[in-house]
Amino acid sequence: MNPITRKNYTAAIHITTGGIMTVIATILDYRSAIPVLTGYISANLVRLPSETRAPLSPPRQRGFRFPTFRNGIAQAIVILAATAALKTVIPPHILLPLLGIAAFLSLAHLSRMDHATIRFMAIAGLGCATTLRHHIHGLLGFAIIMLPAAPCLLGAAGFAITGGLLTVVGITAALTVFLHRLYNRRTCDALLTLILLAYVLTAAFFIASGPVGIVSILLLVTALLLTALHRIARTRTWRLP
């Protein structure tokens, strides 16, 4: 099911088989080594038509659809167009919160996760990074358009809002993937809520250190948490639930 692993195994099998056949042909008659090797390579490069082969399809259709890269680009363009249109009639101190709300709603839609897909990808041998990339195509499309364009419309404040939201949603997506590889859906939701509460309490405890200190502490805690969860979630690859 993993294309890269499948290609590696296929190459190893062909190299081993072709080498054994060449050695045997050389021992029997050295003049037949080249025709045997050429015939083996030709037989594996040319695919014969087959009427019995059918495309792989799931036993039942599921209603969940992943946001695509184009979905992220389209939503970012719509938000930027609306912001540019409202910029002339709404002052910046009102427009910035509206941009933040619109970006948050869009990112909440683009970062949707499917528990069954994450579990299946772990069972199929796909790693944490591959699973995460599969779920954040929409976020990448949104970021590519929004991050360069937001400062042009609203300056550094627009970049700070969109960049901060993208960072938070990206971290949440990584936590969600790691937790869903380890626990069931309800446990994951409960743990995510507890982690969010822990972040709020940590920020409140270190409020005297100022915004820079709070952000630095939260980033350090996030790095440690993601590292620990990644090490545990990585061991669940190929394991049945």
Side-chain angles (χ1 to χ4, degrees):
M1 297 181 183
N2 188 342
I4 298 176
T5 306
R6 183 171 64 250
K7 291 178 181 178
N8 293 337
Y9 275 110
T10 303
I13 291 172
H14 286 317
I15 291 173
T16 304
T17 307
I20 293 174
M21 293 178 63
T22 303
V23 171
I24 294 175
T26 303
I27 294 173
L28 296 176
D29 185 358
Y30 69 92
R31 292 173 296 182
S32 64
I34 294 179
V36 167
L37 183 60
T38 304
Y40 179 80
I41 294 175
S42 302
N44 285 278
L45 289 179
V46 178
R47 293 185 178 181
L48 298 177
S50 175
E51 297 180 357
T52 59
R53 186 176 180 180
L56 181 64
S57 59
R60 62 185 181 89
Q61 296 293 330
R62 304 177 66 247
F64 189 87
R65 293 185 62 185
F66 291 100
T68 62
F69 189 81
R70 288 181 293 181
N71 295 143
I73 292 177
Q75 294 189 24
I77 292 175
V78 170
I79 293 175
L80 290 172
T83 303
L86 295 175
K87 185 178 179 181
T88 57
V89 295
I90 298 180
H93 67 277
I94 298 178
L95 188 60
L96 284 172
L98 293 178
L99 173 66
I101 294 172
F104 175 77
L105 294 176
S106 178
L107 290 174
H109 172 263
L110 295 173
S111 62
R112 292 182 302 161
M113 299 285 172
D114 185 47
H115 175 79
T117 302
I118 295 174
R119 300 285 289 182
F120 175 78
M121 294 179 76
I123 297 169
L126 300 177
C128 298
T130 304
T131 306
L132 182 61
R133 286 197 302 269
H134 181 77
H135 285 79
I136 62 171
H137 289 305
L139 294 179
L140 294 177
F142 187 89
I144 287 176
I145 300 299
M146 184 62 72
L147 288 179
C152 298
L153 288 177
L154 298 173
F159 179 80
I161 291 175
T162 55
L165 287 174
L166 280 167
T167 302
V168 172
V169 173
I171 293 172
T172 305
L175 289 173
T176 303
V177 168
F178 297 158
L179 290 174
H180 278 282
R181 289 172 70 96
L182 297 172
Y183 308 104
N184 58 43
R185 190 192 304 271
R186 292 183 179 179
T187 304
C188 292
D189 294 339
L191 288 175
L192 283 174
T193 303
L194 292 176
I195 291 172
L196 178 61
L197 180 61
Y199 274 108
V200 174
L201 294 177
T202 302
F205 184 79
F206 292 97
I207 193 171
S209 59
V212 177
I214 292 175
V215 172
S216 301
I217 293 170
L218 292 180
L219 289 177
L220 177 61
V221 172
T222 301
L224 295 175
L225 181 61
L226 288 176
T227 302
L229 287 176
H230 178 262
R231 289 180 178 179
I232 302 173
R234 187 174 53 186
T235 62
R236 296 301 178 96
T237 307
W238 297 109
R239 292 190 180 184
L240 295 176

